[in-house]
Amino acid sequence: MISPTCHHCGLPATAPDIITDAGHPFCCAGCQGAWRLIQGLGLEDYYRHRTPDSIGMQPATPDPAALAAFDDPLYQSRLVRVVADEREANLILDGIHCAACVWLNEQVLRRLPGVTEVRIHFATHRARVRWKPEEVSLSGIIGAVRSIGYRAEPYDPSRGEELRARQDREMLSRLGVAGFGTANVMFIAIALYAGYFQGMDADAKNYFHWVSGILATLVIGYSGAHFTRGAWNGLRAGRLAMDLPVALGAWVTYLYSVAVTIRGVGEVYFDSVTMFLFVLLVGRHLEATARAKAAGAMERLLNLEPRTAVVLEEGQPRSVPVREVRVGDLVLIKPGERIPIDGIIVNGRTSVDESMLTGEGLPVSRGPGETLAGGTQNLDGGVTIRASRVGEDTALARILRMVERAQSERPPIQGVADRMAARFVGSVLTLAVVTFGYWLWRGDPGVAVENGVAVLIITCACALGLGAPSAMVVAMGSAARMGILLKNGETVERLERVTRVVMDKTGVVTLGTPQVERLLPLPGVAENTLLERAAVVERHSEHPLGKAITRAWQERAPGPIEEAEQVTNTPGMGLEAWAGGRRIRVGRPEYVLEGSTIPPLPADGPMPVTWSACAEDGRLLGWIGCADTIKPEAAEVVGKLHAMGLRVMLLSGDRQEVVEAVGRATGVDRMVGGVLPEGKEHEIGRLQQEGAVTAMVGDGVNDAPALARADVALVVANAADLAVAAADVALLNRDFRSVARAFALARRTMRTIRQNYLFSMCYNLIAIPLAMSGHVSPIAAAISMPLSSLVVVGNSLRLRHGPWEDPS
């Protein structure tokens, strides 16, 4: 049985909580009360089925009553974040075509009292706005955008596909009309061209002109309104938008042709008008499709957020909206479902696909006491979890905020392009007037119009404006897919400039947990016997070395083991226990061999280890050496960083001889041990004074000062919260090679941005003189202009694919 949908919030209304009011179902009393309030205000016609979502994109003149529904607290609880005493929301904007459109919307919003921050991302058409609710409302912000002719509403991930589908339908409708008009006008143009060479009756020629004019009017009035409206909105706000040259070129050509038709003397260019409008619309559609692909990784992350959860109340399951789950609630998760919130397993065991969080493709086993992250996929077992983090505090929500912020903030390199794009349109109009005047002076008005229009159409600042945003949005999505979270675009630039990489040892280059590295049994004692006797005692220990010994036994020879009795722990020395009537001691030699002669400790070998002795009834059985194992891929990572021209330094608070041994094994350039947290920060500062651009890779609280001081701070998986707070790059993947991938991705991204800018400038430097000299027709210009943007977006899309370990 399918649950009815709540008349207010649009979520499932499930028994026994369904409330019926005037024939409408509601999922809770809160929704019922909110709807009664809307009815009391007379806004139900605007609010309709699912709050302001159903209002849709409004025309340029906003209806205050309709906009007021955006201020409903229940609606805002889903899509508006509370940040201290401010509010923050993401808006989806329709009508954004160029960098000038972005600038115009940002300027309008920044002038609103109470708006403290505005960031609009060209590639995704999303705006991140922060405001003070006591000074301005969300409806006021949306109304300001709509008043200048653009369309806006809060971005709801659950309706992202619906919004894109609606925009695609509108674009395809305009394309269809333009295609129909162009095809018919071109057939007529063929007849006119034939008549030009073979002769045609004047009345027939005039008839064809009028028919072409009617079809062209339909195309420019409906399909061309896409450009005309953008140009007019910019002029009304005192801004020259990139739609202005296109609209001006189309209307000048159209009006000139109308004048020729009315006078009955001369040649018409209705075919040029319809053809280049059709080609430009095809280009816009392809560009929008490419942008959607560029933002695909981010959209996939947004779609990972479940909308509902099954909460156990007095042992009975009840489906509720995720926003209503509270910390401490018991949530039932069935096989195949996405985990709606962060929580700790209290019952059941399952395998979980955590690839969206860590980038690791293999499922991981999770059982009681272990944590599950919201947005991950439960694969094969039903579990019950206790909610530990909900709403904006979940791991997925924090990742989304970080990626959204990174995508919306402009890298410094984009500032130059934005300033160029802001002056671009005025320069284009000037060149078009000069071209028109020159060819008119040459004595041919038709050629003057054609060449002037070609200049207006062929120039393109869109490619320039897309150069950085398209590359950044693809790079951020690729990074998130690999379990690498970049704080912002500036981080990518700084990563590329890094010359010195400083790494902590424990938990970064090494696994961070001791492992049994060496077993040295005395003659007559087998290795398994030594390990088994030690594990009998140490499995009762919470000490890291004791856990390492227990793990080693389980990995080497899992099976029955004797039960220990009378376990005694002597802190800092070791453990004693009785098993099978024999006394076993494990720990420091002086403790284990108390009262006996202590033999010399074995030599360390290539890697310093911590030795534990094991004795049975006072007889030494042998030595167990434990060490913090180097990550298998550490040497490979250092090699790849060297291949990028980076110098690598190991900086640790551990003993100098241990740090040097790890450094030699991994191939780093310099090793410094015995350093306290303030010493690490001082060492980073010293490198910066020498002119190095530093990146610090750390994981612990003791790394936080150095991370904060470094030019770029990278933290590895399972880092301490204080370290994460200081991070520019968070590596969620346990694969240490993510460090090298982050640097490689940054370098490829910046190289791609520079390629995009170089192409855009070269395109305009070549195209404009060709158009001014009469070597490019308006139709050829209409084909070239969108192709330039597609080349830039296509070049950026290459960042979706590796190999990221490639140092070049």
Side-chain angles (χ1 to χ4, degrees):
M1 178 179 176
I2 300 175
S3 299
T5 301
C6 177
H7 193 61
H8 178 69
C9 68
L11 293 172
T14 56
D17 303 296
I18 298 176
I19 301 173
T20 302
D21 189 344
H24 299 306
F26 295 92
C27 65
C28 63
C31 285
Q32 180 192 23
W35 183 255
R36 285 184 175 177
L37 174 63
I38 291 165
Q39 285 181 311
L41 296 173
L43 302 180
E44 60 269 25
D45 289 338
Y46 300 104
Y47 212 89
R48 294 192 184 99
H49 180 62
R50 281 195 64 198
T51 70
D53 294 342
S54 299
I55 295 174
M57 299 292 199
Q58 299 296 325
T61 304
D63 185 339
L67 292 177
F70 285 110
D71 296 326
D72 176 19
L74 186 62
Y75 176 72
Q76 291 196 7
S77 69
R78 289 196 298 130
L79 301 175
V80 177
R81 290 193 291 271
V82 178
V83 183
D85 59 342
E86 296 180 338
R87 302 293 184 269
E88 183 178 282
N90 287 318
L91 305 180
I92 184 73
L93 304 182
D94 187 27
I96 298 289
H97 304 308
C98 61
C101 298
V102 172
W103 182 92
L104 175 60
N105 279 273
E106 286 186 342
Q107 295 304 310
V108 168
L109 290 176
R110 282 175 181 151
R111 290 172 186 164
L112 291 176
V115 174
T116 58
E117 184 180 353
V118 180
R119 286 284 186 272
I120 299 177
H121 197 272
F122 186 15
T124 60
H125 292 186
R126 285 210 296 272
R128 180 166 55 84
V129 186
R130 185 175 290 188
W131 70 93
K132 296 181 178 179
E134 64 273 13
E135 297 182 35
V136 67
S137 64
L138 178 59
S139 61
I141 292 170
I142 293 175
V145 173
R146 293 182 178 182
S147 68
I148 58 172
Y150 295 86
R151 296 179 288 182
E153 67 177 40
Y155 179 70
D156 185 347
S158 66
R159 299 188 64 241
E161 289 296 330
E162 178 186 334
L163 291 172
R164 269 194 299 276
R166 186 171 64 199
Q167 292 167 3
D168 286 346
R169 283 196 301 271
E170 180 182 340
M171 178 61 75
L172 290 173
S173 175
R174 295 184 187 280
L175 265 174
V177 171
F180 170 80
T182 300
N184 286 277
V185 170
M186 291 304 294
F187 280 128
I188 295 172
I190 292 172
L192 289 171
Y193 292 149
Y196 178 82
F197 292 104
Q198 300 176 11
M200 178 178 287
D201 181 74
D203 289 339
K205 181 178 180 181
N206 200 40
Y207 170 76
F208 282 137
H209 284 180
W210 279 104
V211 174
S212 298
I214 293 170
L215 291 170
T217 301
L218 177 65
V219 172
I220 198 171
Y222 177 69
S223 302
H226 181 76
F227 303 101
T228 305
R229 185 170 56 244
W232 172 246
N233 291 336
L235 288 172
R236 190 173 59 176
R239 183 70 179 173
L240 301 178
M242 268 309 301
D243 280 335
L244 181 59
V246 174
L248 193 58
W251 280 103
V252 167
T253 307
Y254 171 78
L255 293 175
Y256 174 82
S257 300
V258 169
V260 168
T261 301
I262 293 173
R263 289 190 297 115
V265 179
E267 301 299 329
V268 298
Y269 296 92
F270 291 126
D271 55 335
S272 296
V273 174
T274 57
M275 176 61 80
F276 75 66
L277 283 176
F278 173 70
V279 171
L280 286 173
L281 286 170
V282 170
R284 286 277 171 92
H285 180 61
L286 293 176
E287 183 182 321
T289 302
R291 275 202 313 268
K293 288 183 179 179
M298 181 62 188
E299 298 299 327
R300 286 191 292 272
L301 277 177
L302 290 168
N303 291 332
L304 290 176
E305 288 189 295
R307 313 306 297 173
T308 61
V310 178
V311 176
L312 293 177
E313 294 181 352
E314 297 180 355
Q316 298 299 314
R318 185 171 74 92
S319 180
V320 300
V322 168
R323 66 177 184 272
E324 294 183 9
V325 179
R326 299 291 179 260
V327 173
D329 284 352
L330 291 177
V331 179
L332 176 64
I333 303 167
K334 299 176 182 177
E337 292 183 343
R338 287 212 173 269
I339 296 159
I341 43 86
D342 292 1
I344 299 171
I345 298 177
V346 296
N347 185 30
R349 179 171 290 276
T350 186
S351 295
V352 182
D353 179 2
E354 296 182 345
S355 56
M356 75 89 197
L357 188 66
T358 65
E360 296 177 4
L362 294 176
V364 293
S365 179
R366 292 285 183 254
E370 294 185 285
T371 300
L372 297 181
T376 56
Q377 182 88 39
N378 182 27
L379 296 179
D380 55 15
V383 293
T384 302
I385 65 173
R386 189 176 300 279
S388 57
R389 285 182 177 147
V390 298
E392 294 299 312
D393 295 328
T394 64
L396 180 59
R398 295 199 303 273
I399 291 172
L400 290 174
R401 282 202 304 275
M402 196 170 181
V403 175
E404 285 175 350
R405 184 174 294 273
Q407 289 185 341
S408 63
E409 292 184 359
R410 292 185 180 86
I413 193 173
Q414 191 179 339
V416 177
D418 286 348
R419 288 192 293 273
M420 292 175 63
R423 297 175 176 84
F424 193 83
V425 178
S427 303
V428 169
L429 294 177
T430 302
L431 292 174
V433 170
V434 170
T435 302
F436 176 80
Y438 171 77
W439 288 100
L440 187 64
W441 174 73
R442 293 281 298 266
D444 192 337
V447 173
V449 170
E450 189 169 330
N451 292 341
V453 169
V455 172
L456 289 172
I457 295 171
I458 202 168
T459 51
C460 182
C462 294
L464 191 66
L466 276 170
S470 61
M472 282 295 176
V473 75
V474 177
M476 297 295 177
S478 296
R481 194 168 60 247
M482 294 186 292
I484 301 171
L485 291 185
L486 302 167
K487 187 175 182 180
N488 50 38
E490 186 179 355
T491 297
V492 177
E493 283 198 52
R494 283 188 277 118
L495 264 176
E496 189 219 18
R497 296 198 304 268
V498 166
T499 59
R500 189 72 62 90
V501 180
V502 181
M503 297 181 180
D504 182 34
K505 179 184 72 71
T506 306
V508 176
V509 178
T510 66
L511 294 175
T513 54
Q515 307 286 327
V516 173
E517 292 292 326
R518 300 180 66 190
L519 290 170
L520 295 179
L522 265 60
V525 180
E527 284 190 356
N528 276 359
T529 301
L530 171 63
L531 194 57
E532 187 267 342
R533 293 285 87 188
V536 167
V537 179
E538 292 292 1
R539 66 176 181 161
H540 297 279
S541 171
E542 292 299 320
H543 193 280
L545 296 181
K547 290 183 176 181
I549 292 171
T550 305
R551 263 196 318 274
W553 165 252
Q554 292 171 342
E555 292 169 0
R556 177 178 290 222
I561 192 171
E562 283 190 79
E563 286 294 331
E565 299 175 344
Q566 302 178 34
V567 179
T568 304
N569 179 21
T570 304
M573 299 301 290
L575 268 73
E576 177 186 280
W578 289 82
R582 297 182 178 184
R583 187 186 67 170
I584 304 172
R585 279 191 174 188
V586 182
R588 286 178 172 270
E590 57 269 31
Y591 169 73
V592 171
L593 301 174
E594 184 179 8
S596 303
T597 303
I598 301 175
L601 291 175
D604 277 343
M607 181 65 64
V609 297
T610 300
W611 291 105
S612 295
C614 178
E616 186 177 66
D617 288 339
R619 181 175 69 91
L620 182 64
L621 298 179
W623 304 90
I624 301 175
C626 294
D628 190 359
T629 306
I630 299 173
K631 292 179 178 177
E633 64 272 20
E636 178 188 351
V637 170
V638 173
K640 292 187 181 302
L641 294 176
H642 282 159
M644 296 181 203
L646 301 172
R647 291 179 58 81
V648 184
M649 176 181 179
L650 200 59
L651 189 62
S652 175
D654 207 341
R655 292 175 295 150
Q656 180 66 29
E657 59 268 25
V658 176
V659 177
E660 289 182 354
V662 174
R664 286 192 298 270
T666 54
V668 302
D669 301 291
R670 184 166 172 241
M671 299 82 77
V672 178
V675 185
L676 297 174
E678 57 270 22
K680 292 184 180 181
E681 190 265 347
H682 176 76
E683 184 66 25
I684 294 290
R686 187 188 65 78
L687 292 172
Q688 291 171 332
Q689 288 176 355
E690 293 176 355
V693 181
T694 59
M696 175 70 188
V697 187
D699 74 326
V701 173
N702 61 332
D703 296 323
L707 289 166
R709 180 66 180 267
D711 296 290
V712 183
L714 298 91
V715 297
V716 297
N718 296 329
D721 289 343
L722 189 58
V724 173
D728 297 304
V729 183
L731 307 173
L732 304 180
N733 196 324
R734 296 177 185 274
D735 188 345
F736 190 46
R737 285 171 292 193
S738 295
V739 173
R741 289 169 185 155
F743 283 97
L745 176 61
R747 293 188 172 208
R748 279 193 59 185
T749 301
M750 296 307 300
R751 186 164 62 245
T752 300
I753 290 174
R754 294 188 183 100
Q755 290 170 351
N756 289 344
Y757 285 161
L758 179 63
F759 169 79
S760 178
M761 289 186 286
C762 289
Y763 165 81
N764 284 292
L765 288 173
I766 295 172
I768 292 174
L770 287 175
M772 293 180 70
S773 60
H775 289 89
V776 179
S777 68
I779 295 175
I783 295 173
S784 301
M785 195 265 270
L787 281 178
S788 66
S789 296
L790 288 173
V791 169
V792 166
V793 175
N795 188 43
S796 299
L797 283 171
R798 294 188 304 117
L799 290 169
R800 292 191 300 173
H801 310 291
W804 300 117
E805 294 84 357
D806 183 4
S808 61

